[in-house]
Amino acid sequence: MRALLVVNPAATTTSARTRDVLIHALASEMKLDAVTTEYRGHARDLARQAADSDDIDLVVALGGDGTVNEVVNGLLHRGPDPAGLPRLAVVPGGSTNVFARALGLPNDAVEATGALLDALREERERTIGLGLAAGTPGTEDESVPSRWFTFCAGLGFDAGVIGRVEQQRERGKRSTHALYLRQVLRQFLDDPHRRHGTITLERPGRDPVADLILSIICNTSPWTFLGNRPVYASPKASFDTGLDVLGLSRMSTPSIARYATQLLTSSPERGPHGKHAVSLHDLTDFTLHSKAPLPLQMDGDHLGLRTSVTFTGVRRALRVIV
């Protein structure tokens, strides 16, 4: 087997020594080309080359969810072809590693490498569904290129929080749960749309859902982790189905406190719920329109402001080693 290992040297939970050990462990079992990323988008470019080659069987992403997202977008740059494309494997090296953990992998890079090698020996893999987001035809965002996401996307409040976190990290702050919680509070206090939602969800054959302030799109469950605690925004979301959506149409101080508590105490059986919460399951095609430009995020990466985004849930998009 020939494999490409894409290494993010900025991965927050692995040292250079640990990465060297992991590379040697993988190289002992396969013909391995290890490449360290040098710029934003480099992982995508490397995976695109692997997808277009005839001799790469496996692409391993060593990094966080952002690295995985880039690799997935590189592999799928011509569209899904599970039988023809290299398989994907993940060694978690980020601060949260939602995708890897949702697949059931250990959150420790060394343990995950051992699990990966076992899975390869035992030929364990699964074909998962993914989400695809694109600018909506006929709108000012129609020229925005499409992009795949592995576990979540969001338009509005949660994307604003991620944008604030990225700004703080650019200033040298470490990515911690405390940092996220502070930015949630600041986003709540500063959000000009929290009293009157600007988002409308449209889907074929159904009435639109209007006046949403927050929209979280999940491709799997849990939505994220706080330390070792899983957080379920859409408990029914799965790699085997379409996309799930959690929308909130009210964010007063009492309601945000209630929904935050529901998130923190969520379980695989129950997520946020109530009069102003909308939960939709297993959607294949839908569009989010906003009356005002709102921040968009995918897999925890802030992508700027959008007014209209069309989402597609694509079943059986990519083979993954588990």
Side-chain angles (χ1 to χ4, degrees):
M1 177 186 296
R2 185 178 178 190
L4 169 68
L5 175 64
V6 179
V7 182
N8 180 0
T12 56
T13 58
T14 58
S15 64
R17 179 175 296 177
T18 300
R19 291 192 288 272
D20 286 342
V21 170
L22 300 182
I23 290 170
H24 286 299
L26 293 170
S28 68
E29 299 286 337
M30 63 192 77
K31 184 177 181 181
L32 186 72
D33 296 322
V35 182
T36 299
T37 58
E38 298 177 356
Y39 54 87
R40 190 181 182 106
H42 194 185
R44 181 195 61 233
D45 295 341
L46 293 169
R48 181 189 291 118
Q49 294 169 13
D52 291 341
S53 73
D54 296 324
D55 57 353
I56 299 294
D57 305 298
L58 175 69
V59 177
V60 184
L62 198 172
D65 289 312
T67 303
V68 174
N69 181 279
E70 286 195 16
V71 167
V72 167
N73 275 277
L75 286 173
L76 297 182
H77 76 105
R78 296 185 187 276
D81 181 12
L85 289 171
R87 294 169 294 170
L88 171 70
V90 179
V91 177
S95 57
T96 310
N97 307 306
V98 178
F99 179 69
R101 294 162 84 176
L103 287 172
L105 295 172
N107 196 35
D108 177 81
V110 175
E111 292 184 14
T113 300
L116 167 60
L117 293 174
D118 288 343
L120 288 170
R121 295 186 192 105
E122 298 168 15
E123 299 183 349
R124 296 198 312 265
E125 65 177 54
R126 65 183 290 194
T127 302
I128 64 169
L130 296 171
L132 180 66
T136 305
T139 71
E140 62 185 55
D141 290 326
E142 66 178 345
S143 63
V144 176
S146 60
R147 178 162 171 161
W148 296 91
F149 59 96
T150 64
F151 65 92
C152 84
L155 181 70
F157 185 87
D158 75 308
V161 172
I162 287 173
R164 289 174 179 269
V165 170
E166 289 189 2
Q167 289 177 350
Q168 294 299 313
R169 292 188 66 181
E170 289 172 358
R171 297 170 184 167
K173 301 287 187 180
R174 292 182 62 248
S175 179
T176 63
H177 298 305
L179 175 62
Y180 273 89
L181 292 174
R182 287 196 300 271
Q183 303 316 310
V184 167
L185 178 59
R186 289 173 180 170
Q187 180 69 21
F188 174 73
L189 294 174
D190 295 344
D191 194 328
H193 307 296
R194 66 183 175 93
R195 296 186 183 278
H196 304 286
T198 65
I199 302 170
T200 297
L201 185 151
E202 296 181 352
R203 49 185 169 147
R206 299 293 186 93
D207 292 336
V209 181
D211 301 327
L212 297 176
I213 298 168
L214 175 149
S215 55
I216 295 173
I217 301 94
C218 292
N219 185 52
T220 189
S221 188
W223 167 52
T224 190
F225 291 84
L226 288 177
N228 291 323
R229 179 192 292 273
V231 179
Y232 299 88
S234 297
K236 294 181 181 179
S238 167
F239 287 127
D240 299 319
T241 62
L243 302 174
D244 283 25
V245 178
L246 170 67
L248 298 181
S249 59
R250 187 169 185 175
M251 291 189 69
S252 63
T253 301
S255 64
I256 196 65
R258 180 169 63 254
Y259 292 127
T261 301
Q262 291 177 354
L263 276 171
L264 293 174
T265 59
S266 59
S267 71
E269 290 73 39
R270 191 163 197 183
H273 54 278
K275 179 180 178 181
H276 301 288
V278 177
S279 296
L280 303 173
H281 175 57
D282 195 11
L283 304 186
T284 301
D285 299 285
F286 63 95
T287 297
L288 295 178
H289 299 287
S290 175
K291 300 173 186 175
L294 294 177
L296 173 70
Q297 68 87 9
M298 289 186 216
D299 288 345
D301 188 10
H302 186 270
L303 300 178
L305 301 179
R306 302 284 190 275
T307 56
S308 187
V309 186
T310 295
F311 292 89
T312 306
V314 181
R315 290 176 171 83
R316 300 186 60 80
L318 188 66
R319 290 182 299 161
V320 181
I321 302 298
V322 291

